[in-house]
Amino acid sequence: MLSRLTPDLRDRAYRWIADDPDPNTRAELQRVLASAMAGDAAATGELADRMGGELTFGTAGLRGPVRAGPNGMNRAVVIRATAGVARFLLAKGHAGGTVFVGRDARHGSAEFATAAAAVLAGAGFTVRTLPGPLPTPITAFLVRAGHAVAGIQITASHNPPADNGYKLYLGDGAQIAPPDDRLIEAAIREVPAAISVPTADSALPVTEAEVDGYLERIATLPRGTARDLRIALTPMHGVGGQTAVEALRRSGFTDVRVVVEQAVPDPDFPTVSFPNPEEPGAPDRLLRLASEVDADLAVALDPDADRCALGVRDRDGSWRMLRGDETGALLGEHVLSTMDSPDPLVATTIVSSSLLGEIAKAHGARYAETLTGFKWLVRAGTGLVYAYEEALGHSVDPDFVRDKDGISAAVLAADLAATLKAAGRTLLDALDDLAVRHGLHLTEQVSVRVTDAARLMAAVRAEPPVELAGVPVELTDLLPDANVLRLTGDRLRVVVRPSGTEPKLKAYLQVVEPVGTPDRLEPARAAGTARLAAARAAVAELLGA
């Protein structure tokens, strides 16, 4: 960390302050600069971090802490990013086209959405702003339904409370992907200072009827007729609660109990340390409510409602959350077994369970694996009817929402659970059926916080293991397409990659145990669980966890 203020760092801070149109962030950076000039080493390090780079379009768009300076989310950064997007769209021939701008309820989201809308209007676009904080999938839906040239959602999804972000959809309703992300970043670099970017106050509000189109579409998704289902739900202090309850109601599911303490949007996420349904402890209140009200299904949305996690009552009567791969297999089977689409395609990512591929084969459907992220999944090919990633993202209606959508996934999961309940069965029974037919697929993730992911990846490349937990393995390096290593052996697969949003190295483990007949399921589960634990220990040692 830099401990001495250099003239270059001081001058760059002065220039940013002079060019920042927001008096609050100008004052914020002035205070940090003043402390650094007074010899405060901590302030100097903080100033260096704030000025040390610019936010870039990563796995999930722009994301960063809400703070002054080019390496944070603030009005100046949003203005320049949006001006770059506008230049990109103009270069593509979209002058005057419609752009939808939505937002969540995080700190700064309202101001950032207003700033983005003003820049786009100043550049001559027809700007439509969503009426208040709403789920990200609604913005994605409106881009396609409204024949827009782009959509912007101000959100940091399930990041910590201090963060915010900027998600961009192009006219096909999908997230940006290479080379467009690099072209937009190049355009942003050509944008003048934020204070010089022209703006206009001509944005038009999205009507309630247009938002209603999203709910009406979701109401058409259930395949079955059963509706006797009690659902416990949490929006995790995010913006999905009211929309999800209404989507379920319109789909015929009226017995929905919401976690009261987490029902209203709150940017501080006071009851969870990390507002991600995957995180240990985050869904505890949901599972407690499910038990108290004797629910049939528990549903956790992340704060912008593009992810959905399911909870079920286990065999011993306790409640647990399903893994993303378990939900993915259930929904994939449900979609393929209840549709008549010709030559359907289902897709998942290279780090998710391979069970979906076996399910697709049994239904005569096409199957694809992509790199991680829905910007790749929704581009898997024509005829896509379902896509998922193990990190709780599901697209159950990709013709209308070309991104993950936690609310439509919750409705389809309720449809499946109600259908099973009417037959005296559960989601766990359905998972057992899949295991008997296709083998028991067990998955787990090992996550290691690191300071230098590149060095550790290079070390594994240089000296890859020849065995893991006693199983001989071979290395496949996905470079240059992706910084991903895949180790495969007999009914064992390990995929290692750096996180796209955190200083972590992630390893995704899968073991497969053949089952064959129902009476072999429990022995297979015991054997698979033991093999997975051994593989986890071996991978943890490999990565220094």
Side-chain angles (χ1 to χ4, degrees):
M1 178 181 288
L2 186 67
S3 60
R4 184 178 61 83
L5 181 65
T6 65
D8 174 68
L9 176 58
R10 178 200 61 203
D11 292 347
R12 283 189 288 118
Y14 271 135
R15 285 195 297 273
W16 185 269
I17 291 167
D19 293 337
D20 188 344
D22 188 330
N24 294 321
T25 46
R26 281 203 307 269
E28 178 187 328
L29 198 59
Q30 284 171 337
R31 289 192 295 271
V32 177
L33 175 59
S35 296
M37 293 177 68
D40 186 326
T44 302
E46 180 182 347
L47 186 65
D49 183 49
R50 289 175 182 242
M51 303 302 301
E54 297 183 356
L55 296 185
T56 58
F57 281 92
T59 303
L62 298 177
R63 281 195 195 174
V66 178
R67 64 180 184 179
N71 195 20
M73 278 294 294
N74 52 70
R75 278 181 56 204
V77 165
V78 168
I79 287 169
R80 295 191 69 251
T82 308
V85 169
R87 290 186 175 204
F88 168 82
L89 293 172
L90 291 170
K92 292 288 186 179
H94 296 311
T98 298
V99 181
F100 287 93
V101 179
R103 66 176 178 91
D104 64 11
R106 284 177 173 266
H107 293 295
S109 287
E111 295 85 350
F112 300 158
T114 298
V119 171
L120 290 163
F125 291 92
T126 300
V127 184
R128 308 291 310 285
T129 55
L130 274 70
L134 286 169
T136 294
I138 295 180
T139 299
F141 170 84
L142 288 171
V143 170
R144 287 178 70 79
H147 307 290
V149 299
I152 292 168
Q153 178 78 0
I154 302 298
T155 181
S157 191
H158 54 271
N159 272 39
D163 290 355
N164 211 325
Y166 183 110
K167 191 171 189 177
L168 176 63
Y169 298 101
L170 296 184
D172 61 357
Q175 297 179 49
I176 58 169
D180 289 340
D181 51 355
R182 303 284 83 87
L183 293 174
I184 291 169
E185 286 178 350
I188 294 170
R189 288 193 291 271
E190 299 300 317
V191 171
I195 202 169
S196 303
V197 173
T199 61
D201 185 20
S202 59
L204 303 171
V206 170
T207 67
E208 292 296 336
E210 289 173 295
V211 174
D212 200 62
Y214 170 78
L215 292 166
E216 288 299 311
R217 174 61 195 177
I218 287 181
T220 70
L221 295 181
R223 270 75 165 164
T225 57
R227 294 294 183 270
D228 178 19
L229 195 76
R230 177 167 294 169
I231 302 167
L233 183 143
T234 178
M236 205 73 70
H237 296 295
V239 297
Q242 184 174 346
T243 303
V245 171
E246 178 62 13
L248 287 162
R249 186 193 69 79
R250 293 193 188 196
S251 301
F253 300 101
T254 57
D255 190 356
V256 182
R257 316 295 178 90
V258 180
V259 177
V260 174
E261 310 97 305
Q262 299 174 337
V264 178
D266 188 329
D268 293 319
F269 307 106
T271 69
V272 290
S273 56
F274 199 68
N276 181 352
E278 284 186 296
E279 288 292 313
D284 283 358
R285 280 178 168 78
L286 171 68
L287 297 180
R288 185 160 57 244
L289 174 65
S291 179
E292 289 171 354
V293 302
D294 195 25
D296 301 301
L297 179 69
V299 174
L301 304 174
D302 74 340
D304 72 328
D306 66 350
R307 297 173 193 255
C308 171
L310 302 181
V312 297
R313 189 186 299 276
D314 216 336
R315 308 292 190 192
D316 62 1
S318 64
W319 279 81
R320 74 169 179 92
M321 302 302 293
L322 295 181
R323 300 186 66 83
D325 282 321
E326 292 176 306
T327 300
L330 288 168
L331 293 181
E333 169 69 20
H334 188 46
V335 168
L336 288 175
S337 63
T338 56
M339 69 177 310
D340 56 6
S341 175
D343 195 27
L345 169 70
V346 294
T348 190
T349 69
I350 57 174
V351 304
S352 301
S353 169
S354 60
L355 176 55
L356 184 62
E358 299 301 317
I359 293 169
K361 188 187 305 180
H363 287 281
R366 290 175 294 130
Y367 169 73
E369 289 184 2
T370 73
L371 300 177
T372 55
F374 263 83
K375 63 185 177 185
W376 303 115
L377 279 170
V378 298
R379 294 179 171 94
T382 58
L384 184 69
V385 296
Y386 175 67
Y388 93 92
E389 59 183 0
E390 52 77 40
L392 307 181
H394 306 273
S395 177
V396 302
D397 193 26
D399 283 345
F400 286 82
V401 176
R402 292 196 75 203
D403 197 7
K404 53 187 175 291
D405 181 353
I407 295 173
S408 61
V411 168
L412 204 62
D415 174 45
L416 172 59
T419 301
L420 289 167
K421 181 184 178 183
R425 307 179 76 244
T426 69
L427 293 179
L428 292 182
D429 293 328
L431 282 172
D432 287 350
D433 291 346
L434 293 174
V436 171
R437 289 200 297 268
H438 307 298
L440 182 67
H441 291 62
L442 298 178
T443 59
E444 193 168 344
Q445 184 187 132
V446 175
S447 184
V448 183
R449 190 167 291 275
V450 294
T451 56
D452 191 348
R455 181 194 61 78
L456 191 49
M457 289 290 287
V460 177
R461 280 191 172 95
E463 294 186 38
V466 296
E467 63 88 22
L468 286 172
V471 178
V473 293
E474 293 184 356
L475 174 72
T476 302
D477 192 340
L478 272 61
L479 282 175
D481 294 331
N483 187 14
V484 175
L485 299 173
R486 183 158 49 196
L487 297 160
T488 54
D490 180 28
R491 294 177 288 125
L492 171 67
R493 188 198 69 191
V494 177
V495 181
V496 182
R497 72 175 183 94
S499 169
T501 57
E502 301 173 274
K504 288 182 177 180
L505 209 59
K506 294 184 175 182
Y508 303 83
L509 286 61
Q510 175 183 267
V511 299
V512 181
E513 283 291 327
V515 180
T517 58
D519 62 297
R520 292 292 307 155
L521 181 58
E522 288 313 311
R525 198 187 311 279
T529 300
R531 289 180 59 224
L532 186 62
R536 177 185 175 86
V539 170
E541 182 179 357
L542 174 69
L543 301 181

